[in-house]
Amino acid sequence: MPYITTKDGTEIYYKDWGNKNGAVVTFSHGWPLNSDNWENQMYFLASQGYRVIAHDRRGHGRSSQPWEGNNLDQYADDLAELFDHLDLKDIMMVGHSTGGGEVARYCGRHGTSRVSKAVLVSSIPPLMLKTDKNPGGLSIEVFNSFRDATKKDRAQFSIDVPTGPFFGFNREGAKLSQGLIWSWWQQAMMCSFIGYYDCIKAFSETDCTEDLKKMDIPVLLLHGTDDQVVPIGASAREGIKILPNGKLKEYPGGPHALPNIHIEEINQDLLDFLRS
């Protein structure tokens, strides 16, 4: 399996599928999952002739489980090392949830010289936490409850999240997929405890406002109007006001897990944006 070793000795696992001479699309996953969660989109675009690359963030999946560096700055720096190692250019970066914050922070810290476009799906920017300047965010008590549940019974919490709000299976009329729940649980339990715990702070308290301002490339925001994890009002609808060249598409009634629940529509939106 392909890995790179970062400057601080962390091994980052990545997948590199499709046409090695094709246009490059990279995928950044959400908390506390790994690159497997993008398999539908990766297979679809690779089958269309693109080169698709997705990594497991440090502390997640098959990557190392370091005690340090479980924050958005380091996640972005790890991604920069991967891009440099593979010498990727003209990339379309795609990020879901925390991965969208990773994409924004990469552009904020490392610029867009290697990036042509970006897609933020159900993503955390600009800021999830409720503050005086961000009154539409979620209170710190919400994220403290995540931390408490992690320490009390991480395994059960990792069943409760996908059974309920992540996929929207707690909504009346939702068609529950036990397979998706098991997949989420498996990926979550592959995550290190410290990576799982620290990433809660990373996705909830990191302000990506300045990163969005520096994204001087076309950016597509895809977000469900019934996202119970990253509510659209304080995320995509605020982010579109900040981005220099952004476009927002709302999925009516869509849950947080758009890549898993609205597979065909997400695939087509990514392909159309690539070709635009």
Side-chain angles (χ1 to χ4, degrees):
M1 294 191 294
Y3 287 87
I4 64 161
T5 302
T6 65
K7 295 173 183 177
D8 70 352
T10 300
E11 289 189 320
I12 301 295
Y13 167 82
Y14 67 95
K15 302 175 183 181
D16 188 349
W17 296 356
N19 178 7
K20 294 300 185 289
N21 296 316
V24 178
V25 186
T26 65
F27 293 88
S28 292
H29 63 80
W31 165 92
L33 307 175
N34 59 57
S35 57
D36 293 350
N37 203 54
W38 281 116
E39 62 187 8
N40 284 300
Q41 287 70 43
M42 293 182 68
Y43 173 78
F44 173 76
L45 291 180
S47 299
Q48 297 288 328
Y50 293 93
R51 181 183 182 185
V52 294
I53 297 168
H55 69 298
D56 292 355
R57 187 174 299 122
R58 66 169 53 214
H60 296 64
R62 288 138 293 209
S63 292
S64 297
Q65 300 188 354
W67 189 258
E68 305 291 343
N70 300 297
N71 58 74
L72 219 55
D73 284 354
Q74 187 61 60
Y75 297 160
D77 292 351
D78 291 344
L79 196 55
E81 289 199 51
L82 177 62
F83 289 1
D84 289 346
H85 173 76
L86 296 175
D87 193 23
L88 302 180
K89 299 174 183 177
D90 296 321
I91 307 164
M92 185 172 95
M93 298 181 73
V94 183
H96 175 250
S97 195
T98 302
E102 181 178 278
V103 169
R105 183 50 53 95
Y106 171 88
C107 293
R109 285 174 70 82
H110 299 279
T112 56
S113 62
R114 291 186 179 273
V115 186
S116 59
K117 300 177 181 179
V119 185
L120 308 184
V121 186
S122 310
S123 293
I124 61 173
L127 174 63
M128 285 193 68
L129 183 67
K130 182 178 182 179
T131 65
D132 290 341
K133 294 183 179 179
N134 188 44
L138 299 174
S139 71
I140 190 66
E141 285 74 22
V142 172
F143 305 112
N144 286 340
S145 73
F146 290 1
R147 284 182 272 261
D148 291 343
T150 299
K151 290 188 290 186
K152 181 180 180 181
D153 190 342
R154 179 167 76 118
Q156 183 60 49
F157 184 48
S158 298
I159 296 174
D160 295 341
V161 174
T163 302
F166 192 87
F167 295 108
F169 291 155
N170 57 344
R171 294 308 199 203
E172 185 177 354
K175 184 179 179 181
L176 185 145
S177 166
Q178 192 63 53
L180 279 177
I181 294 170
W182 287 340
S183 178
W184 203 98
W185 182 87
Q186 179 189 47
Q187 291 178 62
M189 296 309 293
M190 289 173 69
C191 189
S192 72
F193 191 95
I194 187 67
Y196 190 113
Y197 187 87
D198 282 358
C199 193
I200 296 170
K201 180 180 179 67
F203 73 65
S204 64
E205 299 180 42
T206 306
D207 190 339
C208 294
T209 301
E210 295 304 314
D211 301 309
L212 294 181
K213 292 178 182 179
K214 294 177 182 177
M215 296 182 76
D216 56 351
I217 52 174
V219 179
L220 176 63
L221 303 179
L222 304 175
H223 216 106
T225 61
D226 191 33
D227 191 325
Q228 302 170 69
V229 179
V230 182
I232 190 172
S235 54
R237 289 178 181 167
E238 289 300 317
I240 195 64
K241 300 174 186 176
I242 300 168
L243 287 164
N245 186 12
K247 178 182 178 182
L248 169 60
K249 177 182 176 180
E250 298 186 3
Y251 280 59
H256 186 60
L258 292 179
N260 310 102
I261 302 299
H262 293 273
I263 295 171
E264 292 184 1
E265 191 172 356
I266 287 291
N267 288 353
Q268 192 61 50
D269 284 341
L270 293 178
L271 183 61
D272 289 347
F273 193 55
L274 268 168
R275 291 174 171 174
S276 65

